[in-house]
Every structure is written in C-alpha cells, then in structure tokens.
Amino acid sequence: MTEHTAQDPAASSAAITFPEGFLWGASTASFQIEGSTTADGRTASIWDTLCGKPGAVANGDTGDPAADHYRRVSEDVALMADLGLATYRFSVAWPRVRPDGGPVNQRGLDFYQGLVDELLERDIVPWITLYHWDLPQALEERGGWTNRDTAYRFAEYADTVLTALGDRVPFWTTLNEPFCAAFLGYASGEHAPGRTEPDAAVAAAHHLLVAHGLGTALIRARRPDVKLGITLNPAPIVPADPADPVDVAAAQRVDLVRNRVFLDPLFRGEYPEDAHTQFDQFGFSELVRDGDLKLISQPIDLLGVNFYHDEVVSGHGGTEPPSAGGRPTPLVGAAPFSNPQRDLPRTAMGWPVDPRGLTDLLLRLHREYPGVPLYITENGAAYPDTVGEDGQIHDEDRTRYLDGHLRAAHAAIEQGVDLRGYCCWSLLDNFEWAWGYDQRFGVVHVDYKTQERTVKDSGKFFARVIEANGIPGSSD
Ligand code: FCB
C-alpha cells in the first residue's frame, strides 16, 4: 500500500536532466497496431475471437486494420528515428510465429526479422515483449491460462523467438501486465478471453508467473548476455483514510490483487500470506507446485513498470463496485470496497491524473523490492484529440500529462530510485482493447481512413525531451 507523500511535480516548470545513458523509447503491442490479422499464416488469437462477440468491443471494432503497421514497418521505423527514439518496445504475436500454438511459421518470424533489421539500421535498440495478450485461440480452447500446459507452450514459443532474434535483440520481457491478462481476462471479462470466473483468474495468474519462470530459465540458459525481465502494472493503492482500519484493510485486499500477488513471488520467492487467505476459496493453494516459486523468483535484470494512475480505496460504501460496463470486479476476493471520487483532472478513459502516484510507486518498489533496476515501459494518456485547421494535433493535455509524469519519475531518481529508462505509451494511436479505436494514446496521430501519420505536439515535446535528456527550462 502507498500513501501520497510526494510533492506535486506538475507544479514545476524548472529544467530537469536525467542521468547519462537514460534510455528513451516508445512502446506498442502487436495486436494493437499490426492489422493484417490473417496475413502470412497468422491464425486467430483470443482477441480476434473477443472482437467477434457482440458488445465486447466498442463499435464492434476489430484488430483490422489497426494502424496497419504490418504493412508500414519502414514508414513507422523512419518515424521513430525522426522522434529520436533510442529504443522501441514492441511485442511479438504468438499466433504469427506459432499459429494455433503449433509448429513454427517462418513467414510470421520474417516480419519481426525485417522489423529488427530496420531498427538496427537506424540505431534503435529493439526491445521485445513476448506476450502482450494475444494468446492463440486454439490454446484458449484447451483452457488458456487456466491450463498449466499453456506455460509450457509459452516456453516453446519463447524458444522460437529467441532462436530467431536472440543475437540481435538486447532487451527481452516475458510478459506484459499479467494482472490484466489474468484478472481482466478471466474475472471481469473485459479483456479476452472474456471469462468471468474468479477461480479461473487466480489459476491464470499463477500459470502466467510459471510461464515467466520457464521463459526466464530458457532465455538465461541460451542467451546469458541479454537483459531480461517482466513488465507489471503495479498501482499505488491508497487508503481513503490511512487512519481508518476499515479503509486500510480494504486497500490491502486490493493491493494484493494489483501488486503483491505478482511482486512477492517474483522478488521474494513466496506468495504473501493473504494470497492464501484471500484466494483459497478459489482454489489457489492447490495450484502451486513444488519448485514453482524457485522458478518464478529467478533473478532478473529489470522490472518494467507500466503506470497510468493510482487508486484510492475505501472499505466503506458497501458493495463490490462493478467494473466498467456492469461487469464483475477484476479484484478477486477484495470486496467490499469502493473508490471514492476525487477532485482531479481525468483523461478520456476516466482515469484520474495525479503524477505524484508515480513517484510514490517507484519509491515503494525501490524500498520493498530493492535491487532490481526499473524501467518505465509504459506511461501516457488518452484524450479526445482533434486535428486542427492547420492539420496539426495540439494536444496540450497529453503534453502536460507527459511533462508531469516525467518530473515525477525524475523526483524518484533524485530520491535514490534506480530508474534507467522511460518508454511512452504509445508511439501510435491504436486499438485500445475493449475501447476499440475510440481512445487515442499515441504521440503520433493515425488517421484510420488514410493511415496517415502526424506527429502530435506531445510527440514533438517528447522528441525535445529525448534530445535534451530531460525537460528544458521554459527559457531554454
Ligand atoms: C496498458 C496496456 C497497453 C495499453 C495501455 C493503455 O494496460 O499494456 O496495451 O492498452 O494500458
């Protein structure tokens, strides 16, 4: 749990400089940008299937055409170079390289070979995420992440990608946000595969961690030279009244699901005690086999942190709050709790904006899980952008969001946090999961009719930050 102690970084306009060698980049994910969902042997992922379910995704949007990145790689890599990115974090689509979770599909691998070639030609460091949620549908039909076998299929798939790209890609993350994959996928059903079974969610969380462990062991054994880790989306969970034991207990229950059920096994080699008390009604303890925790807690080189917003939790206010769209809460076993409204600006997603949360989160990770270098692997905001008469996107709100969060990250470094890089979310506007194309997170605008790309003002701001390795003062 966290309490806000940080100063409001958004209040400042002083120049700041990041440590030398700080790694600047932008992130994307395969299903969100690639399109071409049936090209070159790719078969369905759980997201293709969810998109086909009436009402599951806004406007009935699908993964096609997305940002048509599959066919526009060269143009997009040129854009990255123009922005000055030092790294590009992207995910590989499992159903392209092992369609249906079966044998290797060389044509799918060729796409990523080409992407990596183009990045290296432009001196952009490729950073691979192996799993950003597009599980082959055929594996879901065998139970998906509720089936322990999926973790072994993941290791096979990781082996395939490593064999193809291990000599040229220095950064590898096994999973992106297992919290969302497990709890939004299997408990609230907002994400694919759209299941609403708390016991399935708990099993998925453990098996995702086993997959991380198997992938880590394999990558380590075969390529000890690469930097290897996992990306989580830990969130500061703040009790509404830190002096009220009911609020504190509710915040602890939420914190377990959002944070500790992943962080503790990864960095302490054990599940926290309350994982057993809170999850045992859903069959948790029987899932954990001898040796699993050793596998999961193998040392890693970095923790990727995706940060969007914090969460204030009260134990009062009665019932379990439904998540968006009247779905069950993803926060398995955490009821009763509520999220009191706060007087804060909000993004188009309805997410509160309070950059202090990022400083507090980084400080907490540093304090409670010390010794692992941190990278912000995603941070950004959706706003309802409009293209001005001048053809440009003057997205002051997003620029302000980035400015405040960069200052918040910098404040954490000044307090001793070993933060080594920052990737914004996202390079391009893209398919925002259940929100379809309604929510735009890019620092580059995509016109979905023409696929024309236009760097937004926030993208120009980010390019200046990269060039200066910090935020120049207002008079610089
Ligand atoms: C994160 C996801 C990313 C994107 C952002 C807005 O949870 O990792 O794919 O959807 O949220």
Side-chain angles (χ1 to χ4, degrees):
M1 272 186 334
T2 316
E3 280 180 41
H4 280 328
T5 51
Q7 301 287 315
D8 182 5
S12 163
S13 60
I16 53 171
T17 306
F18 283 81
E20 213 185 300
F22 194 77
L23 190 65
W24 295 100
S27 294
T28 63
S30 46
F31 192 74
Q32 294 181 275
I33 61 164
E34 287 176 358
S36 302
T37 56
T38 55
D40 298 330
R42 182 189 183 280
T43 57
S45 74
I46 52 177
W47 270 96
D48 298 271
T49 308
L50 190 75
C51 288
K53 271 197 203 155
V57 175
N59 318 309
D61 289 343
T62 71
D64 269 310
D68 199 23
H69 172 72
Y70 195 74
R71 299 191 305 165
R72 290 169 195 269
V73 167
S74 302
E75 184 188 343
D76 289 342
V77 175
L79 202 55
M80 296 174 210
D82 287 348
L83 290 170
L85 302 188
T87 188
Y88 173 54
R89 171 181 174 258
F90 62 97
S91 77
V92 172
W94 188 342
R96 283 196 199 282
V97 308
R98 279 184 168 263
D100 298 332
V104 177
N105 174 31
Q106 188 55 45
R107 286 183 300 162
L109 277 175
D110 288 347
F111 169 73
Y112 297 104
Q113 296 274 19
L115 169 60
V116 168
D117 285 345
E118 300 228 18
L119 290 169
L120 293 175
E121 269 162 34
R122 291 185 183 264
D123 286 332
I124 300 170
V125 173
W127 181 324
I128 282 183
T129 300
L130 285 164
Y131 185 69
H132 199 130
W133 310 348
D134 40 4
L135 182 73
Q137 174 62 26
L139 294 185
E140 177 56 30
E141 274 148 34
R142 286 182 245 149
W145 288 109
T146 69
N147 183 351
R148 192 178 165 98
D149 186 59
T150 298
Y152 296 93
R153 300 286 77 76
F154 171 81
E156 251 171 36
Y157 152 69
D159 191 30
T160 301
V161 183
L162 191 76
T163 303
L165 298 170
D167 57 339
R168 292 181 305 144
V169 175
F171 284 92
W172 293 73
T173 31
T174 51
L175 309 177
N176 178 70
E177 300 188 2
F179 165 76
C180 294
F183 292 98
L184 301 189
Y186 291 85
S188 74
E190 181 186 344
H191 280 190
R195 290 168 63 176
T196 50
E197 303 150 45
D199 50 345
V202 163
H206 181 65
H207 295 148
L208 279 154
L209 285 172
V210 172
H212 160 79
L214 293 168
T216 297
L218 176 139
I219 296 171
R220 273 280 186 260
R222 302 221 9 232
R223 299 251 24 145
D225 51 331
V226 303
K227 295 264 181 243
L228 168 63
I230 185 171
T231 280
L232 302 179
N233 55 329
I237 304 299
V238 186
D241 176 358
D244 179 345
V246 176
D247 286 354
V248 171
Q252 234 145 19
R253 295 193 298 273
V254 172
D255 188 60
L256 170 72
V257 193
R258 287 301 315 258
N259 299 319
R260 289 178 291 109
V261 73
F262 300 104
L263 288 163
D264 280 28
L266 285 166
F267 298 109
R268 294 182 176 168
E270 60 189 11
Y271 278 110
E273 238 175 82
D274 54 343
H276 297 282
T277 43
Q278 190 164 322
F279 291 154
D280 267 3
Q281 54 183 316
F282 307 108
F284 176 69
S285 294
E286 298 93 85
L287 297 161
V288 185
R289 298 197 187 159
D290 282 354
D292 281 2
L293 284 155
K294 200 157 171 233
L295 190 68
I296 294 167
S297 62
Q298 290 162 86
I300 48 178
D301 305 312
L302 62 99
L303 171 64
V305 175
N306 292 355
F307 179 82
Y308 291 93
H309 62 91
D310 63 1
E311 197 170 325
V312 171
V313 170
S314 166
H316 304 280
T319 57
E320 180 174 308
S323 63
R327 297 184 189 90
T329 177
L331 298 167
V332 169
F337 69 92
S338 60
N339 298 113
Q341 289 296 310
R342 284 175 291 165
D343 188 20
L344 286 170
R346 286 180 181 267
T347 70
M349 298 286 283
W351 295 346
V353 180
D354 187 353
R356 293 177 308 164
L358 177 56
T359 313
D360 290 335
L361 172 68
L362 295 170
L363 286 169
R364 175 190 180 183
L365 293 171
H366 174 68
R367 199 173 52 238
E368 295 182 20
Y369 305 94
V372 65
L374 305 177
Y375 287 78
I376 294 174
T377 39
E378 289 181 24
N379 174 239
Y383 287 104
D385 298 324
T386 49
V387 182
E389 275 171 20
D390 57 358
Q392 300 300 306
I393 297 91
H394 302 297
D395 55 340
E396 276 170 43
D397 30 24
R398 184 175 294 102
T399 305
R400 206 174 312 121
Y401 181 98
L402 294 178
D403 179 279
H405 286 79
L406 288 168
R407 291 178 188 283
H410 188 262
I413 296 173
E414 294 213 301
Q415 291 170 69
V417 174
D418 185 8
L419 179 70
R420 305 217 180 154
Y422 174 100
C423 289
C424 71
W425 182 271
S426 179
L427 176 70
L428 302 166
D429 288 338
N430 59 49
F431 174 86
E432 178 46 37
W433 309 115
W435 297 82
Y437 298 101
D438 278 357
Q439 299 285 356
R440 294 178 175 273
F441 274 91
V443 294
V444 176
H445 180 268
V446 175
D447 178 333
Y448 292 115
K449 288 202 191 79
T450 61
Q451 291 294 339
E452 193 188 339
R453 277 85 162 121
T454 309
V455 178
K456 301 179 192 178
D457 283 2
S458 58
K460 295 177 190 163
F461 164 76
F462 192 51
R464 288 197 297 276
V465 168
I466 296 174
E467 204 188 342
N469 193 35
I471 305 182
S474 36
S475 58
D476 294 6

